[in-house]
Each structure stands twice: as structure tokens, then as C-alpha cells.
Amino acid sequence: MGVSKDDVSQSNQEDSSLSNVPEKDTEYVHQKKGPESEGGASESSRVSVLPKKEPYIISCKSDSPVKDGNISLVPGKASDSSQQIQSQKMEEVVSQPHQEQVTSSPMAENALCKLRSRRNPDMSVQDLPSDKGVTPFSEPEKPSKDGYNWRKYGQKLVRGNEFTRSYYKCTRINCLAKKQVERSQDGHITNIHYIAKHEHPKPLNSPQISPELVVPSEMTQPDMPTETPREGTQDCPSQLLCSV
DNA sequence: ATTATTTGACCAACA
DNA sequence: TTGTTGGTCAAATAA
């Protein structure tokens, strides 16, 4: 099951990304709180670009990667290179969904139909969540292109229902790594945040990762505080993504 | 039977 | 103090 998300990988979204780019993407950071339920990871919920003491968080604007490529790193307990790596992959992930949503209707619709039938076999689930803010559209795409295995544990509408945020956790037992994928109503991934870092190396079986995307072994080292991606240059794990 | 996903509900932090 | 927003949990469902 968790492998089928690769389906998204076959799209080249290039034009899509620009459609809805919140001008405030930079400021659009989460300033909320970190529930204790998660323990340490919760603290990292600050995806803000502001350097705090929280775990490193990498946020990539999908529209950006293609055009602007904004990646924000927030200092935290986790971080380092692994995340940078992820951000690279992220870029790929980010780009794909666009096309599916915009162009590939057959597949997208098909998937949506299936999903919808799950909860509301009878109704098309057109009705938006009233207050909860749960995303109206659910897509089976899992941004696991970074080489890690993620499991989606939540989804919500944020920013006035303007964006849908999906919450992913690393499937590893002791791994606190989390990922937040923000998508516009159009289905375009507009932002991806990496919270905390993986306590384990990437699974070997990640064919999705291109050799170019693979980061040097040092990048994969969990304990490399030297990376401190706070500097403007460091923010971009891959300068390709961060043109800013 | 197992695993992953979806989504409503609850809780916490901030304005 | 209240309202809003965000994050996570847990139950239900599907593959």
C-alpha cells in the first residue's frame, strides 16, 4: 500500500506550480504550538523560517522549486543533512501532483472516486468540512520520494481553507521525523516542511531517488550540526531548488 | 489479518 | 476571556 504513491511521480509539472503562489509564502509559517502528545517532535511544529531552538524544519515551496524554490530551515533537534536531502527529493514530489490534478483527470478522478467511496460511498463527498477544516479532496499521493517511508496521520485545511496540509510521520519506530505537505485547493503542492530528522538511514529500497538527488554520505549522517542551514546559502540544500 | 489512509473530534497555543 | 487556527489522535474503511 504505501508504495503506490509513486504514481505521482510521473508528471512533470512545470506550469502548474506558479498558479497559486501565496505571496506570503515566506511569512506563512506556523506559529502555533506543539502539542505534547507527540513529545519532542511537537516542538518542531514551528515551521517558521525564524531561527528558533526547535528542530530543523525544511519548508519547500513547490511553486518555488520550479521557479523560486524557497526552502526554509528551522533549527531544531533534528536536522542536518538528512533534511537537506529530503528537500531535494521534495522538490520532485512537489512538482508532480500538479499535473495530475490539472491535467490527468482520468487517473486523478479515478483515485478520487475510490477514496471518496471509502467514507461516503453514497455521496460524492462534495461537502466541505464545516468547521474542522479537514481537506475536502483526498489524494492518495504520498510524498515519499525523499527516500523515506512516510505515513499520513492527518490532514487539515489551513490558511482559511486556502491550503490543505497533510501530516506525515516516518514509519520508522523510533524515528520522529515528520513531514507537512501543504497543497493549494488546486491540488498543487505549495509547501513542504520537514520536521525533525530521521533517526535512521534511508531505506535502501528507494528506487525513486536519483543518484543525483542522493546526498553524500556525510549528508546522511544524523549528527552533523555543522550544517547549520541558517545562513542564506545554507538554506538551500540543493541550490537548484533555492534560487532565492 | 495486516497495514495504510481518511477524516471527525479533541486539545493546545495564539490573537 | 473568547474565538480562531493548527496539530495530533483515534475510529472507520479500504486494499
Side-chain angles (χ1 to χ4, degrees):
Chain A
M1 289 253 201
V3 192
S4 52
K5 5 311 215 57
D6 299 342
D7 57 347
V8 297
S9 54
Q10 25 194 325
S11 315
N12 290 330
Q13 64 354 334
E14 296 157 19
D15 44 354
S16 47
S17 44
L18 355 160
S19 30
N20 41 5
V21 181
E23 0 182 71
K24 22 196 175 171
D25 49 355
T26 39
E27 66 172 29
Y28 122 23
V29 296
H30 318 264
Q31 311 175 331
K32 282 314 181 155
K33 47 50 196 259
E36 315 157 324
S37 3
E38 282 300 317
S42 36
E43 303 174 353
S44 44
S45 36
R46 285 77 207 288
V47 201
S48 39
V49 216
L50 310 174
K52 302 188 81 157
K53 280 96 170 268
E54 337 285 2
Y56 291 120
I57 299 164
I58 305 178
S59 49
C60 297
K61 278 64 197 290
S62 63
D63 10 341
S64 315
V66 186
K67 306 276 179 165
D68 302 337
N70 288 337
I71 298 178
S72 310
L73 295 179
V74 180
K77 70 179 195 166
S79 69
D80 24 287
S81 354
S82 311
Q83 305 205 336
Q84 296 185 352
I85 301 170
Q86 296 178 349
S87 52
Q88 294 187 11
K89 280 76 185 271
M90 226 176 55
E91 174 190 22
E92 292 189 345
V93 178
V94 171
S95 28
Q96 291 153 21
H98 300 181
Q99 285 245 335
E100 287 198 347
Q101 300 288 321
V102 182
T103 52
S104 17
S105 327
M107 296 184 70
E109 289 183 12
N110 203 354
L112 287 172
C113 288
K114 289 184 179 181
L115 291 170
R116 286 171 180 175
S117 44
R118 280 192 186 181
R119 298 289 290 205
N120 307 294
D122 294 341
M123 48 185 70
S124 309
V125 189
Q126 297 292 332
D127 55 320
L128 301 153
S130 333
D131 39 333
K132 264 350 185 147
V134 182
T135 177
F137 55 86
S138 28
E139 300 169 40
E141 58 182 306
K142 179 170 70 175
S144 54
K145 314 285 246 168
D146 50 17
Y148 291 96
N149 296 325
W150 301 93
R151 184 170 67 177
K152 189 175 185 177
Y153 66 92
Q155 186 171 303
K156 290 202 72 175
L157 287 173
V158 297
R159 286 182 60 92
N161 300 350
E162 192 174 348
F163 292 89
T164 300
R165 181 174 297 164
S166 299
Y167 302 89
Y168 296 87
K169 277 182 181 178
C170 182
T171 56
R172 284 287 190 182
I173 299 174
N174 293 329
C175 185
L176 298 177
K178 293 181 186 178
K179 183 197 288 187
Q180 295 179 353
V181 179
E182 293 181 359
R183 302 177 60 181
S184 64
Q185 292 183 339
D186 293 344
H188 304 168
I189 294 179
T190 57
N191 198 353
I192 297 179
H193 303 281
Y194 284 90
I195 303 173
K197 72 173 188 171
H198 297 270
E199 301 292 338
H200 57 92
K202 274 191 267 191
L204 297 177
N205 53 346
S206 15
Q208 329 263 46
I209 306 174
S210 308
E212 302 168 354
L213 294 176
V214 176
V215 191
S217 48
E218 53 180 73
M219 299 283 282
T220 56
Q221 299 295 336
D223 31 12
M224 287 286 278
T226 52
E227 282 296 275
T228 335
R230 263 79 140 268
E231 300 301 332
T233 54
Q234 315 258 350
D235 289 358
C236 308
S238 49
Q239 300 176 347
L240 312 173
L241 315 180
C242 310
S243 29
V244 184

